[in-house]
Amino acid sequence: MEGEPSTSAREPIPLLAPVDGVPPVIVDAAALTAAAERLAAGTGPVAFDAERASGYRYSQRAYLVQIRRRGAGSLLIDPVPLGDLTVIQEAVGDAEWVLHAASQDLPCLAELGLRPALLFDTELAGRLLGYERVGLGMMVERVLGYGLEKGHSAADWSTRPLPEPWLRYAALDVELLVELRDALEAELIEQNKIEFARQEFAAIVAAPPREPRAEPWRRTSGIHRARSRRQLAAVRAMWTARDRMARTRDVAPGRVLPDSAIMDAVLNAPADTAALIRLPIFSGPRIRRTASTWLDALRSAAALPDDELPAPAGPSGDGLPPPNRWAERDPVAAARLARVRAKLSALAATHTMPVENLLEPALSRRIAWSPPDPLTESAVEETLRASGARAWQRELTRAALSSALVDPEPDPADDADDATPPAPERAGGRRAGRGGGAGGAGGADRTRSRGGRAGAGRSVRGAAGRATAGSPVGATSSDGGGASSVGAAPAGGGSTDPAASGGSAAKPSAASGPASGPTSGAPTAPAHDR
């Protein structure tokens, strides 16, 4: 693939230890002040990383902060006894920060008083360059030719004292970040994408804190098995009880009670404690001690009046119906979305990047559902700008979107299908004509309007194919990227690492998960790995 450097063909050189050795962990104010003075005397960008205890702890706080700068070496800081790290912020001043998948670590660093003025995100740079795999370890290997250790990325970093192999791993995370940044910047310049990257990095820095999900309990794994609103209420009640307990204990919710146990309890509806603890997970001694908590949650849901039961489907992030329901709700909009996705997928392939980096999926859905009126290229650009699209995204996509959003003229073939052939037959001395009386074929008027909401049975033929109410246009779509676009050819650009949210489980993201990202804020990146 374009953008993949030749070093990927070489056997990577194992990087087993930091060049200056594993630095001591800074745990007191005096050592922190001395470290800040070293950083202030250093030069160039500053590499940052943070280790959390996702999967072990409820909070997403940092349990270790790693920093490296030319002339200052590497620092390992334990923020638990220190709390505030603003002395580090003052030492680095307006220097550029270098992080990998910055949106994962910036929230926990901000809690410590650390916020960048300038940013270079090596993971996001790799996406813009079209790299298929953008985990830190893979990118260091491909770009710089070194192999990083991968053994401790999912460790419980709240452990104290931290084992020496973990500290070595953590120090290596920032060992080559600045060198990786320099190499990627050269590639961005070569591909004429450096301005794209600068705008994306600035958007991350300027993004406000992410709003919490409106109904996070709906993300319970297996919730699709709940078939009634009463069962959804039970899921909500058990999820809420678990979340309260996890927060109090500072334990990851899944370690208090797995999602599978919640769904087992909801679907089996045990009548008493004895029935509850007969369920597989609840029979364990640790969870049996909290059986009354879960039974109380189930009973509270069972006692709710009907008007307090949750809706069958939760609110979507953009207030629109799920894309797989568009065909029945508005087949014109469904066909429009298919054309938009096809155009964006083609553009993403041309510019060798994932389609979700070219334009956020939520934004493309919103503009397809409700295009600007009048539909002009300048109006499309203003809609994109108001929704948070960066200047480079608007410049690349406005013309393609403008053409994709135009609903086609009605196909004459439809009229031919609907017409009743002129049969000059006489029945009882009267000519049976089209529209001539209650029994006349085709007597009902057929209404069409270009670009409006479609009524039941309306048929539309567009660039993405012919869609009718109830047809499966959009039925298999997902908004994770262009490859799943309805009626669209797969994106030719680099595919993303999993996750989104996804990424490998190696470096878990925050409990809320980055999601696909706020439409008016910074671009989000899936969890990264080594």
Side-chain angles (χ1 to χ4, degrees):
M1 170 180 287
E2 181 184 350
E4 299 287 350
S6 59
T7 53
S8 62
R10 300 200 310 257
E11 189 69 24
I13 302 169
L15 194 62
L16 303 178
V19 65
D20 300 321
V22 178
V25 179
I26 296 168
V27 296
D28 60 66
L32 184 65
T33 300
E37 292 172 354
R38 286 168 52 195
L39 281 175
T43 59
V46 187
F48 276 87
D49 192 21
E51 304 295 345
R52 301 182 301 279
S54 301
Y56 297 92
R57 296 291 182 178
Y58 184 90
S59 72
Q60 291 301 309
R61 65 177 298 180
Y63 285 95
L64 188 70
V65 176
Q66 306 101 284
I67 308 173
R68 182 175 178 82
R69 192 179 195 185
R70 292 186 181 113
S74 295
L75 307 174
L76 298 180
I77 303 174
D78 184 352
V80 176
L82 293 167
D84 184 83
L85 301 184
T86 52
V87 64
I88 298 294
Q89 178 79 55
E90 295 165 359
V92 300
D94 293 335
E96 180 187 78
W97 289 26
V98 184
L99 289 96
H100 190 81
S103 60
Q104 294 182 40
D105 290 339
L106 287 179
C108 67
L109 292 173
E111 292 178 358
L112 302 171
L114 298 173
R115 295 175 179 83
L118 295 172
L119 176 69
F120 191 103
D121 186 334
T122 52
E123 193 260 6
L124 183 50
R127 293 182 181 280
L128 294 174
L129 288 167
Y131 279 69
E132 291 186 355
R133 299 178 65 184
V134 292
L136 178 60
M138 182 56 66
M139 291 191 67
V140 167
E141 180 178 320
R142 287 187 174 275
V143 178
L144 302 178
Y146 290 96
L148 291 177
E149 183 184 356
K150 304 175 182 179
H152 306 296
S153 56
D156 178 5
W157 289 91
S158 67
T159 301
R160 292 296 182 274
L162 286 166
E164 193 278 341
W166 297 15
L167 297 175
R168 182 171 65 249
Y169 164 93
L172 288 173
D173 261 0
V174 292
E175 182 84 4
L176 296 175
L177 260 186
V178 173
E179 287 80 357
L180 179 62
R181 171 238 181 267
D182 293 343
L184 293 174
E185 181 182 57
E187 288 190 54
L188 288 165
I189 293 171
E190 183 180 354
Q191 291 193 28
N192 295 317
K193 293 178 178 178
I194 187 62
E195 186 56 32
F196 300 176
R198 287 171 179 160
Q199 292 180 29
E200 293 300 289
F201 302 157
I204 294 175
V205 171
R210 184 172 301 164
E211 293 291 331
R213 295 181 182 275
E215 295 182 335
W217 59 270
R218 289 188 184 271
R219 294 174 61 82
T220 303
S221 179
I223 195 171
H224 62 280
R225 297 161 62 198
R227 299 301 185 185
S228 69
R229 294 175 62 201
R230 185 71 58 183
Q231 287 181 329
L232 288 176
V235 174
R236 180 178 63 185
M238 290 197 69
W239 186 98
T240 302
R242 180 185 69 174
D243 189 71
R244 187 183 306 115
M245 187 180 297
R247 185 189 298 272
T248 300
R249 298 178 178 180
D250 191 19
V251 176
R255 289 180 173 267
V256 172
L257 188 71
D259 284 3
S260 59
I262 290 179
M263 295 311 304
D264 276 351
V266 168
L267 297 177
N268 284 281
D272 52 31
T273 301
L276 178 66
I277 63 177
R278 282 197 295 269
L279 298 177
I281 293 177
F282 292 90
S283 62
R286 181 176 59 85
I287 296 181
R288 286 181 67 173
R289 290 194 292 269
T290 59
S292 61
T293 299
W294 316 123
L295 194 62
D296 287 347
L298 291 171
R299 287 171 174 169
S300 69
L304 283 176
D306 289 349
D307 60 358
E308 293 183 21
L309 297 177
S316 63
D318 50 20
L320 302 179
N324 62 357
R325 303 296 299 275
W326 282 33
E328 63 185 65
R329 293 281 298 276
D330 188 342
V332 175
R336 196 184 299 133
L337 179 61
R339 298 194 301 271
V340 164
R341 285 172 160 171
K343 290 278 190 179
L344 292 178
S345 294
L347 270 177
T350 299
H351 293 280
T352 323
M353 68 177 68
V355 69
E356 62 267 26
N357 289 105
L358 178 65
L359 197 68
E360 293 174 10
L363 204 167
S364 61
R365 288 196 304 271
R366 190 158 57 248
I367 200 169
W369 183 262
S370 183
D373 186 15
L375 183 53
T376 64
E377 191 169 314
S378 60
V380 167
E381 176 164 14
E382 175 56 27
T383 300
L384 295 175
R385 186 202 62 76
S387 298
R390 271 67 72 187
W392 74 271
Q393 294 174 317
R394 303 196 301 267
E395 182 177 351
L396 290 186
T397 63
R398 62 192 177 196
L401 287 173
S402 298
S403 62
L405 292 171
V406 175
D407 295 325
E409 295 289 346
D411 193 324
D414 291 341
D415 292 329
D417 292 341
D418 293 343
T420 301
E425 300 175 359
R426 294 184 179 274
R430 296 177 57 188
R431 174 183 289 272
R434 197 171 80 162
D445 288 340
R446 304 184 184 272
T447 305
R448 298 180 184 275
S449 66
R450 184 165 164 261
R453 296 286 183 261
R458 176 172 174 179
S459 138
V460 176
R461 185 187 298 273
R466 182 168 181 163
T468 60
S471 72
V473 175
T476 60
S477 69
S478 69
D479 287 304
S484 60
S485 299
V486 179
S495 64
T496 64
D497 268 348
S501 294
S504 82
K507 183 135 183 176
S509 62
S512 60
S516 179
T519 58
S520 60
T524 57
H528 63 283
D529 61 10
R530 282 293 293 265

